[in-house]
Amino acid sequence: MRSSKLSKGIPFVVNIMSIPVAHHLAITNDLAVVAEDQFFITNCATFHFGFLAFLENFLPFRRGGVFFYNSTDWQLVVPDLNLPNGIFLSRDEKLMYVVSFLDKTLLVYRWDPSTNGAQLLQTVQLYGRGDNVQLSQSGDALLIGVHPSFVAVVVVVVVVVVVVVVVVVVVVVVVVLLLFSHIRVFHLQVVRLPLTNEGLILENDVTEMFYDHGDLIGGASSAAMFDGQLLIGSIVDRLVHCQLSEEKQK
């Protein structure tokens, strides 16, 4: 991606390339740019399935890692991390700081650009779940957002997931209802099946009492007849009231 500007000075982003990730990345969090087409990126989870990936965010599976993209290919630089979150490179690009969310630590690595290897130098306890890393304006300190309460994080994530699922379900239901009620994809029919004294159906005397292409009502699900009146119910549409002709009343 590259930043550009409109004639009025309003910034916008232009997509200049797309990078295939293949099987390397599942759920990413943060990246540290080395050059225009070279960067480190934290891969929080390796499961590509929703539920397993969700569990991986809270259980210490140690399947996360830091990957480096060298403009042509991916390389796993730091494996076996517990939910690597924020990442930051020092100004001289010699040190790499990685937050391990589940371990409540900040990991400091020495990066060797010639081999793309990373040597662990320091493990710093954060006494909370660290998130993103930023350099202070003076350049002499790192700033990290920390979640002191893991339970609160879990509750918020679960609530967000539930809300998203509910919203998606509601939207799908509304779209289906609108589709069925306005586009009228259902043809519908009401048939009359006369019975014998024994309660069996007189198959040769089955008659059609009502038929509609979906213009009047969609998705008929039930019908009731009383005193020359026919009511037709629908699973997605309105109730239709019909006056039967004398022939149909017989």
Side-chain angles (χ1 to χ4, degrees):
M1 307 289 280
R2 175 182 296 161
S3 177
S4 184
K5 290 190 176 181
L6 295 172
S7 58
K8 294 183 179 181
I10 302 175
F12 68 103
V13 176
V14 177
N15 183 11
I16 61 174
M17 66 184 299
S18 297
I19 302 173
V21 299
H23 63 282
H24 301 290
L25 305 179
I27 299 178
T28 59
N29 187 282
D30 196 12
L31 58 82
V33 177
V34 178
E36 182 173 324
D37 55 354
Q38 297 181 358
F39 55 87
F40 292 93
I41 190 167
T42 54
N43 189 46
C44 300
T46 55
F47 287 115
H48 290 263
F49 300 100
F51 181 69
L52 293 177
F54 177 77
L55 287 180
E56 196 172 358
N57 283 290
F58 304 104
L59 300 179
F61 292 153
R62 290 198 174 277
R63 293 175 58 90
V66 176
F67 282 83
F68 179 73
Y69 183 73
N70 63 6
S71 75
T72 58
D73 199 9
W74 294 95
Q75 179 180 346
L76 180 59
V77 179
V78 183
D80 305 325
L81 296 180
N82 271 330
L83 194 67
N85 206 333
I87 186 171
F88 190 82
L89 279 180
S90 62
R91 287 178 173 176
D92 58 8
E93 297 182 351
K94 292 182 179 180
L95 299 181
M96 178 172 61
Y97 307 92
V98 181
V99 174
S100 178
F101 184 85
L102 292 182
D103 290 338
K104 305 180 185 179
T105 57
L106 174 68
L107 307 173
V108 184
Y109 296 89
R110 177 180 284 116
W111 175 50
D112 184 354
S114 61
T115 62
N116 282 331
Q119 177 189 2
L120 180 62
L121 300 178
Q122 189 179 17
T123 300
V124 181
Q125 287 294 327
L126 297 178
Y127 302 101
R129 269 74 182 185
D131 208 319
N132 292 310
V133 186
Q134 297 295 332
L135 186 67
S136 65
Q137 184 177 4
S138 59
D140 61 356
L142 294 176
L143 305 176
I144 303 178
V146 178
H147 305 281
S149 174
F150 186 52
V151 174
V153 176
V154 174
V155 170
V156 170
V157 171
V158 171
V159 168
V160 170
V161 171
V162 171
V163 169
V164 170
V165 171
V166 170
V167 169
V168 170
V169 171
V170 170
V171 169
V172 170
V173 170
V174 170
V175 170
V176 170
L177 292 178
L178 290 175
L179 180 67
F180 287 161
S181 62
H182 293 290
I183 299 181
R184 309 298 186 190
V185 295
F186 284 133
H187 289 209
L188 61 96
Q189 187 179 33
V190 175
V191 294
R192 181 176 181 273
L193 297 83
L195 302 175
T196 65
N197 294 333
E198 292 79 18
L200 300 177
I201 297 173
L202 293 171
E203 298 183 38
N204 294 330
D205 294 333
V206 174
T207 58
E208 177 185 90
M209 300 191 65
F210 183 88
Y211 184 90
D212 184 64
H213 291 282
D215 300 322
L216 180 63
I217 181 177
S221 60
S222 61
M225 184 173 63
F226 180 76
D227 200 17
Q229 312 293 315
L230 176 66
L231 293 178
I232 305 172
S234 168
I235 57 174
V236 295
D237 211 339
R238 54 199 160 184
L239 179 70
V240 171
H241 175 205
C242 300
Q243 177 70 46
L244 296 177
S245 63
E246 293 185 4
E247 179 182 357
K248 293 289 186 180
Q249 295 180 36
K250 297 179 181 178

